[in-house]
């Protein structure tokens, strides 16, 4: 489900400028005690990308600085070496066309400031997800509005090249009402055509999967290592776990043999067996992300998996909670409980570098909330320390 804000009159000249050095005099940070986090936001409450310092002991975010001011810079991924940041801008008229833009930035290790390397057309409307191949040499982008996925090469300097592969999803729209949703749910959105929501490789980097919320499909691809082309696997896609479920985001288990996918409209988590030889998925189990007695409307959103692969955390929008679902290496899932986000409409979750904290991006309440992960049980404990930022969408961390 998207919240679109049209930015009119955007020119290529605006997107061609580099981020303004807003704090050149800032002292270099002490790497033994802190590192950087970047938060992408939606206009108008959010003004672009913000840089924070992260205290490695407490997980606290501090020293907020606006480091890029392009419109609707909401989705990000950090380069493999931590030297670059790739950001999607959900403008709808890049270079006078109807697409969004992807910008590559160099990260200054002394103060976390950003300098523009280059930018490219996202090859579709509404770039909502960015990911990298394990080698860090290719960027994968999902364009939600147009249902287009694309692959871009990355050179040694971090510069983005012209797209090596562009594919348009097509097919009949999914069911208008999610069959597996809670009683009384009106979680109905965008089952009116293709809407690519995520694209990422498996841990090996040989295979790629992409979700399409509007078509209720999970696409399966082979990634050609020589030319960066996406080649349809056999079968090219599988259907969502239930009609109208709205597949959104997924994560892989550390063993590489499992994937867990959140369905936005149904608010259902589904586990899949990953065939490492063929790069195909087979459905295992499904489980609601909501309390057993919940009735009404909810849109499931962000998902993160603990480093040990035992605890999944899922953001529930409208219910405004983070569900804890414990998982096994065989794909079994057990609903443990939930915690109130202390904010409104948690769009994504971020796990700290050391795995000791989970952060919720509360889009409508303009704040980020932090939760300590209890050792052993994985239970989330709210830390009474809010971070103010307008319409946060995603946060990434750079050690």
């Amino acid at each position: 489900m998207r919240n679109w804000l049209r930015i009119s009159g955007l020119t290529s000249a605006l997107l061609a400028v580099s981020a303004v050095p807003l704090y050149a005099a800032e002292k270099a940070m002490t790497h033994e005690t802190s590192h950087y986090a970047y938060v992408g936001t939606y206009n108008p409450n959010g003004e672009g990308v913000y840089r924070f310092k992260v205290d490695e002991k407490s997980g606290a975010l501090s020293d907020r600085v606006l480091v890029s001011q392009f419109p609707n810079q909401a989705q990000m991924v950090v380069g493999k070496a931590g030297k670059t940041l790739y950001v999607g801008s959900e403008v709808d008229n890049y270079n006078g066309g109807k697409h969004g833009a992807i910008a590559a930035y160099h990260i200054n290790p002394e103060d976390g400031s950003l300098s523009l390397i280059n930018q490219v057309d996202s090859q579709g409307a509404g770039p909502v997800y960015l990911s990298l191949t394990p080698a860090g040499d290719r960027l994968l982008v999902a364009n939600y509005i147009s249902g287009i996925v694309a692959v871009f090469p990355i050179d040694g300097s971090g510069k983005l090249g012209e797209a090596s592969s562009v594919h348009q999803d097509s097919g009949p729209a999914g069911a208008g009402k999610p069959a597996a949703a809670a009683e009384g749910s009106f979680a109905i959105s965008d089952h009116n055509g293709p809407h690519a929501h995520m694209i990422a490789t498996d841990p090996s980097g040989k295979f790629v999967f992409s979700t399409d919320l509007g078509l209720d499909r999970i696409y399966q691809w082979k990634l050609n290592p020589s030319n960066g082309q996406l080649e349809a696997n056999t079968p090219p896609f599988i259907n969502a776990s239930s009609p109208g479920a709205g597949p959104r985001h997924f994560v892989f288990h550390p063993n590489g043999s499992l994937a867990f996918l959140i369905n936005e409209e149904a608010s259902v988590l589904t586990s899949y067996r990953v065939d490492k030889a063929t790069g195909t998925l087979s459905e295992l189990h499904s489980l609601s992300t909501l309390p057993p007695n919940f009735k009404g409307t909810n849109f499931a959103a962000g998902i993160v998996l603990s480093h040990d692969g035992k605890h999944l955390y899922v953001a529930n929008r409208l219910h405004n909670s983070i569900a804890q679902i414990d998982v096994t290496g065989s794909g079994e899932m057990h609903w443990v409980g939930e915690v109130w986000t202390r904010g409104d409409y948690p769009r994504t979750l971020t796990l700290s570098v050391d795995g000791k904290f989970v952060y919720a991006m509360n889009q409508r309440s303009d704040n980020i909330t932090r939760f300590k992960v209890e050792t052993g049980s994985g239970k989330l404990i709210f830390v009474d320390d809010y971070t103010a930022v307008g319409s946060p969408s995603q946060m990434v961390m750079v050690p």
Side-chain angles (χ1 to χ4, degrees):
M1 181 182 182
R2 311 299 305 153
N3 293 319
W4 298 110
L5 176 67
R6 179 174 177 81
I7 304 296
S8 300
L10 184 71
T11 66
S12 57
L14 172 63
L15 283 177
V17 298
S18 181
V20 178
L22 300 176
Y23 52 100
E26 182 184 44
K27 293 182 179 179
M29 69 187 299
T30 304
H31 291 281
E32 289 76 20
T33 59
S34 59
H35 54 271
Y36 300 123
Y38 295 90
V39 177
T41 64
Y42 283 110
N43 296 134
N45 295 15
E47 299 174 272
V49 176
Y50 296 87
R51 186 233 63 184
F52 290 86
K53 288 183 179 179
V54 186
D55 185 280
E56 294 184 354
K57 291 184 178 180
S58 69
L61 303 176
S62 64
D63 194 24
R64 183 186 70 190
V65 177
L66 182 63
V67 289
S68 179
Q69 293 179 267
F70 297 162
N72 287 345
Q73 289 189 296
Q75 321 304 331
M76 301 175 293
V77 66
V78 178
K80 185 179 180 181
K83 297 179 180 179
T84 51
L85 182 69
Y86 299 94
V87 185
S89 177
E90 295 181 34
V91 296
D92 59 6
N93 53 5
Y94 174 65
N95 268 354
K98 297 182 179 180
H99 291 172
I102 309 297
Y105 295 97
H106 171 71
I107 299 173
N108 185 331
E110 294 301 317
D111 59 12
S113 60
L114 303 178
S115 56
L116 186 66
I117 300 172
N118 78 318
Q119 58 193 2
V120 296
D121 187 308
S122 70
Q123 299 299 308
V128 298
Y129 199 92
L130 281 64
S131 67
L132 293 171
T133 54
D137 59 347
R138 299 188 189 277
L139 177 74
L140 286 67
V141 177
N143 293 282
Y144 183 85
I145 293 179
S146 55
I148 291 174
V149 295
V151 181
F152 299 86
I154 301 172
D155 71 13
S157 70
K159 181 179 179 180
L160 293 168
E162 293 185 6
S164 60
S165 190
V166 179
H167 284 272
Q168 170 71 67
D169 295 349
S170 63
K177 183 176 177 60
E183 179 184 339
S185 174
F186 287 88
I188 302 167
S189 71
D190 294 345
H191 277 97
N192 55 4
H195 294 295
H197 221 317
M198 176 176 172
I199 182 169
T201 73
D202 74 326
S204 76
K206 297 178 181 178
F207 305 105
V208 173
F209 300 93
S210 60
T211 57
D212 194 297
L213 180 146
L215 305 184
D216 276 336
R217 290 177 176 178
I218 301 102
Y219 284 90
Q220 306 180 132
W221 309 93
K222 297 177 182 178
L223 181 61
N224 189 313
S226 62
N227 60 17
Q229 281 283 331
L230 290 177
E231 301 169 354
N233 209 332
T234 304
F237 65 85
I238 60 173
N239 292 321
S241 56
S242 61
R248 182 180 172 94
H249 291 176
F250 54 88
V251 293
F252 290 97
H253 191 273
N255 65 20
S257 297
L258 293 172
F260 298 93
L261 183 147
I262 189 63
N263 294 283
E264 180 175 323
E265 267 75 22
S267 295
V268 165
L269 183 69
T270 303
S271 62
Y272 293 88
R273 176 70 60 191
V274 182
D275 189 313
K276 293 183 179 180
T278 64
T280 55
L281 303 176
S282 55
E283 185 178 331
L284 294 173
H285 310 287
S286 287
L287 180 71
S288 175
T289 65
L290 295 162
N293 293 325
F294 177 84
K295 294 178 176 61
T297 302
N298 180 74
F299 294 95
I303 177 173
V304 293
L305 179 64
S306 61
H307 294 329
D308 61 9
K310 294 181 179 180
H311 312 294
L312 268 170
Y313 303 101
V314 179
N316 286 310
R317 294 177 293 182
L318 297 188
H319 189 255
N320 290 337
S321 65
I322 303 172
Q324 178 186 338
I325 297 173
D326 285 358
V327 300
T328 68
S330 61
E332 295 179 2
M333 302 179 293
H334 305 278
W335 195 89
V336 176
E338 43 86 16
V339 60
W340 174 33
T341 62
R342 272 74 172 182
D344 189 13
Y345 219 66
R347 187 171 193 85
T348 61
L349 304 175
T350 298
L351 187 67
S352 64
V353 174
D354 59 10
K356 294 181 179 180
F357 297 93
V358 169
Y359 302 81
M361 308 297 113
N362 297 303
Q363 182 181 353
R364 292 182 180 173
S365 55
D366 302 311
N367 60 19
I368 300 170
T369 46
R370 181 168 90 256
F371 300 83
K372 183 175 176 58
V373 180
E374 189 175 69
T375 302
S377 70
K379 180 181 177 181
L380 298 183
I381 302 170
F382 174 62
V383 179
D384 193 7
D385 177 27
Y386 295 79
T387 300
V389 61
S391 298
S393 173
Q394 185 189 12
M395 178 167 70
V396 294
M397 293 194 172
V398 182

